[in-house]
Structure formats: structure tokens, C-alpha cells
Amino acid sequence: MLDQQTVAIIKSTVPVLQVHGTTITTTFYGLLFDNHPELLNIFNHANQRQGRQQTALANAVLAAAMNIDQLGNILPVVKQIAEKHRALGVLPEHYPIVGETLLAAIEQVLGNAATPEIIGAWAKAYGVIADAFIGVEAEKYREAAEAPGGWSGFRNFVVTRKVRESELITSFYLSPEDGGPISSYSPGQYITVRVQPEGEEYSHIRHYSLSSAPGQAYYRITVKREGEGIDRPAGVVSTYLHDFVQVGSILEVGSPAGDFVLDQRSDTPVVLISGGVGLTPMVSMLETIIAAQPEREVTYIHAAINGSLHAMKDRVADLAQSHSSLRSYVCYESPGEEDKYNRSGYIDLSWLQEIADVNSEFYFCGPTPFMKVIYKALKEWRVPDDRIHFEFFGPAGSLEE
């Protein structure tokens, strides 16, 4: 527990963090990688270049400051971040490095305004917050290692199948090289893949949602090739997987993780909404419902630019054809002449109200702009927060306008 004086000082820094938070975290990462370049083996380089990790950390630091006297309020966020830390291999010995660097960044950005009292208070607060993370992560490491078929760290998997799902999306079927059992998982979770492409100084780590129902002797991930854009380079890992990883290749894989999961205890109707490659956790949920709860009503809505970029469309169509409890809808932004679809343009509230039941559980995933549209529509429809579930690919952000 922190003393009242420390709490008061931390609270007093909230306005400063609201203004300078991202500058502080950008400075933090620069110092961290200058002094500890080995940590580049853990962090997502693409998220660093795009500023997503800096923004996510700034939001987390601000939330900690605002709730410093009631840290239980941010426990769900702590658990979510801890899931990713465990998947990445963040260890207790990393926390002192991070704490020292964060304080140095605060001093560098705020200058004389960073008084000894403020730095001292943040040092105390960081110690409490770090202990909370270390404790939660220790439990998650233990659970992962002790689960049937589980393991700690990374394990070698063989690519047994490579299936082209669309022009940009490919599925990889992964089986353990040692032939042993593998951990089960909840639909919606992801695994972590670590690669070091030729010519790269550091390894690269990515999380990929599992795209099939659990209970198989393999894991399936479905990966979009991330091409070069105006404000981003081509995806290092996705390009490597598409171009160089073939059947027989070995990949280092971390055990399943993530807290975006289907509630299988409920029989409430489900609406699954995906955009682009955001279909990966949705297909896992869909296959699970069909296999384990065949009478549960499910509506699946997928948005893509056109049919050539729509992955797994035949798989979902086949499920809808053979299961009366499933209704499937397709929305194409710019459909081709041969495309079969239900709507052209974009998903909006009026269409959702026509095809979905407001009393359902809603799960959605896709590009952030897509998710903002869906979230806004559901809020306008007055769907309760406890029935709205979503997943960010990468650092968590906000869907609020």
C-alpha cells in the first residue's frame, strides 16, 4: 500500500501525463532500446514504428495514476497486459530495467518540473504496480506450463499444411515437432510465433489468433500478408511466413494466451462480426459453437473489400448450409462482378437491426476504423456493455470517438 502523500503526488501528475504522456513513453522506448538493445527481441518493432506501443503505454501509465488509490479498478487491464507479457516472455528481471528507464524518461521530458518528490513518488508507485504485474504473470506462467500438453517459453512446431485462403491470407497448420500433446485453448485466444528472418539482427515476435476450434492435434493460424503502405513498411513476419515458410518448416511457438474468449457457459444467441483478417478468432468461435453448442443461434457477419480478399468464405458457407442455427451474411465494400454477397458498401446500424437480434452477445474484430464503426452502432442500439466483446490486433486502443 502507498502512503497518502505518495498517492497525492501521483494524482497531481495526472494533468501532466494527459499532456506529455506520449512524449514520455516515446522517450522511454528510445532510452530503453539504446541501453538494452537485447529487448528488441521481445518488442514488436512494427508497433514501435507506428507509435502504437507508445500510445498504449501512455494510456496505461495515465490509468495507473488516475487509479493509484484504487488499483483494483485497473485489475482487468493488468490481467490483459499480463496475458501478452507471458506470451512474449516478459520476466521479473525486466521490471527494474523498465522502472529505471521510465523514471529517466519522466525526468528528461519534464526537466525541472520533475522534482525529487515527484520522482520518488513515482518510484514507489512503480514498485507497487510492478509487483502486481509480476504476481499475475507468475500465475499465468504456472498455468501455461502445468496445463495438459502445456509448456513454458517457446516450443518447436512443424508446418504440416499451408493453405491459401485468399489473395492475401494464408493458413498454417502447426504440429509439435516432439509429437507430444498440445494445450487446449478457448476460442478467441492466440499463440505467439517467434522468427528471425535472414538478415534481421533481432528476432521478431507476433501474436496470431487461432482460427479453428480447439480439440485438434494441431494449431491453425491464418495470416494476412501485410503489404507496404504510405505510412508503414511491409510486415516483416507476415512476409516471411508467406514467402519463406513452407510445409516442413519449423516455427517457435508460445502456448495459447488471451482473454478475448467466447463464453461457452451461455446459450444466449451470438452475433460474430469480422472485418478482413479479423475473421480469425471469429471462425474459431463459430466452429466451436457448431461443434459444442449446435442448437445455439449464431449470426456471422463478415466484411471484406471483395470476394478475392475474403478468406474462408467456402468454409463458413458450408457450415451455414449444413446447420440451420447459423445465419451467415457477407458485406463487400467494392464487390466484383462474380461475387456473391448480401450487401455492398459498409455495415451500418440499420442493416444490423435487420439481420441481428439486439439481445445477443456481440463479438467483433477487425481493423480499428472498422471496429469503431461497429462499436458506435452497438452503443447507439443500446446494447449493454457486458454483451459487447472485442479484440485489438496489437496494443489495445480506444473505440470511443
Side-chain angles (χ1 to χ4, degrees):
M1 297 294 292
L2 294 169
D3 60 85
Q4 288 302 309
Q5 182 179 5
T6 298
V7 169
I9 293 172
I10 296 297
K11 288 268 191 180
S12 74
T13 65
V14 167
V16 176
L17 293 174
Q18 289 173 326
V19 175
H20 299 289
T22 303
T23 304
I24 290 171
T25 54
T26 300
T27 302
F28 159 78
Y29 281 115
L31 293 172
L32 184 69
F33 298 139
D34 283 346
N35 296 324
H36 299 277
E38 72 279 3
L39 293 180
L40 285 166
N41 289 307
I42 294 177
F43 286 86
N44 185 313
H45 306 185
N47 289 336
Q48 290 291 321
R49 288 192 298 268
Q50 296 170 26
R52 299 177 66 191
Q53 194 68 58
Q54 294 88 328
T55 300
L57 178 58
N59 291 337
V61 171
L62 177 61
M66 295 175 69
N67 293 277
I68 196 65
D69 53 343
Q70 294 179 314
L71 288 175
N73 291 344
I74 63 170
L75 187 59
V77 176
V78 170
K79 290 182 176 180
Q80 183 182 57
I81 296 173
E83 281 281 339
K84 293 196 174 183
H85 282 183
R86 194 274 295 170
L88 292 170
V90 173
L91 300 172
E93 54 262 36
H94 293 136
Y95 280 91
I97 296 171
V98 169
E100 178 184 332
T101 308
L102 181 60
L103 295 179
I106 292 173
E107 288 187 284
Q108 184 170 317
V109 172
L110 300 186
N112 292 334
T115 64
E117 290 76 17
I118 287 176
I119 296 301
W122 266 105
K124 290 182 182 179
Y126 177 81
V128 170
I129 295 167
D131 285 345
F133 273 103
I134 290 170
V136 173
E137 287 160 18
E139 179 66 14
K140 292 187 179 298
Y141 276 110
R142 185 190 64 77
E143 290 174 354
E146 295 180 1
W151 69 95
S152 181
F154 289 87
R155 182 177 175 187
N156 285 348
F157 277 67
V158 182
V159 177
T160 55
R161 292 179 64 197
K162 182 178 179 181
V163 179
R164 188 173 185 260
E165 305 283 5
S166 76
E167 285 188 7
L168 295 178
I169 296 175
T170 295
S171 287
F172 299 83
Y173 292 71
L174 311 175
S175 298
E177 184 183 36
D178 59 22
I182 57 176
S183 299
S184 187
Y185 57 90
S186 297
Q189 289 192 302
Y190 56 82
I191 56 174
T192 304
V193 175
R194 182 170 67 183
V195 301
Q196 188 163 1
E198 186 176 353
E200 291 287 328
E201 183 177 0
Y202 300 102
S203 59
H204 291 256
I205 293 177
R206 295 292 185 275
H207 303 312
Y208 290 113
S209 296
L210 291 152
S211 62
S212 60
Q216 313 296 330
Y218 59 81
Y219 293 139
R220 183 177 71 192
I221 58 174
T222 303
V223 181
K224 177 187 175 186
R225 176 197 290 274
E226 297 293 346
E228 184 175 358
I230 296 174
D231 58 349
R232 69 177 190 277
V236 173
V237 178
S238 67
T239 300
Y240 175 77
L241 291 175
H242 278 255
D243 292 350
F244 297 101
V245 171
Q246 306 297 336
V247 171
S249 295
I250 304 294
L251 294 175
E252 294 182 290
V253 174
S255 57
D259 60 354
F260 174 64
V261 298
L262 174 70
D263 183 0
Q264 296 177 258
R265 299 166 299 178
S266 170
D267 59 2
T268 302
V270 175
V271 178
L272 307 173
I273 309 173
S274 57
V277 77
L279 60 80
T280 52
M282 300 295 102
V283 171
S284 177
M285 293 181 184
L286 176 61
E287 290 188 355
T288 300
I289 293 171
I290 294 299
Q293 298 176 291
E295 302 303 318
R296 189 176 186 182
E297 293 184 10
V298 55
T299 301
Y300 183 49
I301 307 165
H302 181 67
I305 294 176
N306 55 48
S308 69
L309 299 175
H310 182 176
M312 296 181 161
K313 59 184 174 183
D314 292 339
R315 170 61 174 158
V316 175
D318 289 345
L319 289 174
Q321 184 71 27
S322 57
H323 293 84
S324 60
S325 59
L326 167 61
R327 296 179 300 159
S328 175
Y329 299 90
V330 174
C331 177
Y332 288 150
E333 179 182 336
S334 302
E337 292 184 3
E338 303 299 319
D339 284 339
K340 296 179 181 180
Y341 56 94
N342 303 100
R343 180 181 177 86
S344 62
Y346 303 95
I347 297 172
D348 61 18
L349 176 56
S350 62
W351 190 49
L352 284 177
Q353 290 173 326
E354 290 177 16
I355 63 177
D357 180 354
V358 69
N359 297 309
S360 302
E361 295 280 341
F362 290 83
Y363 296 81
F364 59 97
C365 185
T368 299
F370 167 86
M371 298 215 306
K372 287 184 175 181
V373 169
I374 301 302
Y375 181 78
K376 182 179 180 182
L378 296 180
K379 295 299 288 183
E380 288 182 2
W381 204 5
R382 298 190 177 181
V383 178
D385 287 341
D386 63 358
R387 288 198 276 112
I388 298 176
H389 316 279
F390 54 88
E391 170 84 320
F392 284 95
F393 284 162
S398 173
L399 296 184
E400 300 284 356
E401 293 294 343

